[in-house]
Amino acid sequence: MMINNRAMMNKYKVKGFIIFMLFLLCISSQSFSQQPIQELHTDTIPLVRKDNYWNRLFHGHIDRTFEKKVDMSYVAAPSYTREASFGIGGMATGLYRLDRTDSLMPPSNFMLTFNASIKGFYAFTFGGNNNFKGNRSRLSYQAAFFNKNLDFWGIDYDNCDINPVIGYKRQTVMLYANYQYEFLTNFYAGANIDFLYNKAAKIDNISYLQGQNNAYTTTGLGFSLQYDSRDFIPNPQQGMYILLRETVYPKALGDVNRTLWRTTFTADFYQKIWQGGILAFDLYGQVSSDNLPWTLREELGGTNRMRGYYSGRYIDNNIASTQVELRQHIAGRLGFATWIGAGTVFPTLKDFEIKKILPTYGLGLHLEVKHNMNARVDFGFGKGSSGFVFGIGTAF
C-alpha cells in the first residue's frame, strides 16, 4: 500500500509539472506586446507579422524596452512544491530603461509574485534591479510576506539529523535594499539594509527551539565590495561576480539583546562553451556570530542552492556550498539545465566537518517568459531527499 501511495504521489508531481509548464507557456504568450513585429530581410524589405496568437507565442520574447516605457508580462499557473503542495501562483514582471538612448546598458527589471496553496501557504513578493542613468550605479530591492505551514527538524545540524519531523507555522516579513556604485570599471562599493521579522506562530514541539523565543525582529546594516562583469543580472550569459559583504545587526535595532555580525562571500563565473551552452559556477559561504537566533540561521535547501533538499531540512549558524551548472538552449523559448554540487551548515568554523558535506544534483526545464528572463522547473536530488523546485530567473 505504501508503494502504491508513493507511486501515486510521484504521478501527481509529474502531472503538476506538466500542467504548470503548459499553462505557463500558453498564458505568458498572451501577455507580450500587442504591436506587430517587424524584421528586415537582407534586401531591406520589411516583413510584418500578423498580430495573432501563434506569432505572439513564438516571437513575443524580444526586447521591447526601447519602444515602451515599461514592457510588462503576466503569468498565472498551477504550482507545486514540497513545502506548499499544490496551489496557484501568479507573476507580473516588467523590463524598462531609464535611458532608452543607451543600447549598452542592460534593462532594469521588477517582479511581483503571489502564491497560495492547499496547505495554507501564501506569499507575496516584490523586487527588482534598477540601473540608473550612466550605468554607474544600481539599486536592488525586495519586499516579501510569507505565511507557511512547514516541516521542522531543529535549529542546528546535529538535531536536524536525528530529530523526527514536526510541523510549525512560520510568518515572515522581509525588506531588503542594496545600493551599488561603480568606482572603477566593474568594481562596486555598496551599502545595504535588511529588516527581518520571523515568528513560529504554531509549533508542535517548542523544545525544538532550544529555549529561544518563538519570534525575533532584526535589522542589519552592511557594506560590500564587489566585482561584477555579468551582462544581465537575472540571466547571465557571460561574466564574473565576486562579492564580499559585512553586515552588523545592532542591538538597538532589534530584540535579540546583543549585537550580531555576518560575513558573506559569493563567487560566480559564467562561460559560453558552445552554441547555446553556458557553464555556470557558484561558490557561496556565510559565517556569522555564534548562537544566532533561529530566525537568522542558515537554511540548507530551497530554490537556488542545494536544490533537492526541503528548505530548512538542515539549519545552523553558518553555511558553505558550491555548484556547477550547464545551461543549454534547446529551441525557441525552451532550454534545460543540469547541475552537481555540495554544501553543508555548521555551528562554528572550528566545528566544520567534511563528513557532514551533503551532495546535490539534478536537471531542469527552462522557459523564457520575458526577453532573457526564464521560469524554471528543476528536479533536484540530495542525500535521502529529492523534489521539484519552481523558480523565476536562473538559480544563480
Side-chain angles (χ1 to χ4, degrees), residues 32-38 48-52 55-56 59-60 62 64 67-68:
F32 294 100
S33 173
Q34 302 298 309
Q35 302 299 321
I37 302 169
Q38 294 187 352
V48 179
R49 291 194 176 94
K50 293 182 178 180
D51 181 28
N52 58 35
N55 279 329
R56 291 196 300 273
H59 303 285
I62 64 176
R64 292 289 190 184
E67 308 167 21
K68 304 171 66 175

Side-chain angles (χ1 to χ4, degrees), residues 175-214:
L175 302 171
Y176 173 81
N178 180 29
Y179 176 79
Q180 299 287 334
Y181 178 78
E182 185 180 27
F183 60 92
L184 290 173
T185 302
N186 294 331
F187 286 91
Y188 295 82
N192 65 277
I193 180 170
D194 64 84
F195 170 86
L196 182 66
Y197 169 79
N198 265 315
K199 180 179 181 180
K202 296 179 181 179
I203 185 168
D204 291 346
N205 188 341
I206 196 66
S207 68
Y208 275 45
L209 294 181
Q210 299 178 15
Q212 294 194 13
N213 296 339
N214 70 328

Side-chain angles (χ1 to χ4, degrees), residues 10 71 117 221 233 261 306 316 318 321 337-338 352 381 392 394:
N10 289 334
D71 186 12
S117 81
L221 306 174
I233 293 175
W261 60 268
M306 300 303 292
D316 220 317
N318 311 302
S321 69
T338 182
F352 179 88
F381 299 87
I392 302 296
T394 56

Side-chain angles (χ1 to χ4, degrees), residues 269-290:
F269 304 90
Y270 309 88
Q271 180 63 50
K272 295 181 179 180
I273 54 177
W274 53 63
Q275 183 65 33
I278 298 170
L279 192 65
F281 170 80
D282 172 61
L283 177 65
Y284 177 76
Q286 209 157 244
V287 180
S288 307
S289 302
D290 294 344

Side-chain angles (χ1 to χ4, degrees), residues 185-297:
T185 302
N186 294 331
F187 286 91
Y188 295 82
N192 65 277
I193 180 170
D194 64 84
F195 170 86
L196 182 66
Y197 169 79
N198 265 315
K199 180 179 181 180
K202 296 179 181 179
I203 185 168
D204 291 346
N205 188 341
I206 196 66
S207 68
Y208 275 45
L209 294 181
Q210 299 178 15
Q212 294 194 13
N213 296 339
N214 70 328
Y216 286 101
T217 300
T218 55
T219 303
L221 306 174
F223 175 80
S224 64
L225 293 172
Q226 64 177 308
Y227 175 84
D228 191 355
S229 60
R230 294 173 295 177
D231 50 356
F232 186 51
I233 293 175
N235 186 12
Q237 307 293 303
Q238 61 185 5
M240 180 186 304
Y241 174 68
I242 299 176
L243 167 71
L244 179 63
R245 175 184 293 135
E246 190 68 31
T247 305
V248 176
Y249 298 86
K251 175 181 177 181
L253 298 181
D255 56 9
V256 184
N257 295 323
R258 61 191 175 102
T259 296
L260 308 170
W261 60 268
R262 167 170 286 165
T263 301
T264 305
F265 175 78
T266 305
D268 294 338
F269 304 90
Y270 309 88
Q271 180 63 50
K272 295 181 179 180
I273 54 177
W274 53 63
Q275 183 65 33
I278 298 170
L279 192 65
F281 170 80
D282 172 61
L283 177 65
Y284 177 76
Q286 209 157 244
V287 180
S288 307
S289 302
D290 294 344
N291 298 317
L292 287 177
W294 66 273
T295 57
L296 283 180
R297 295 196 178 192

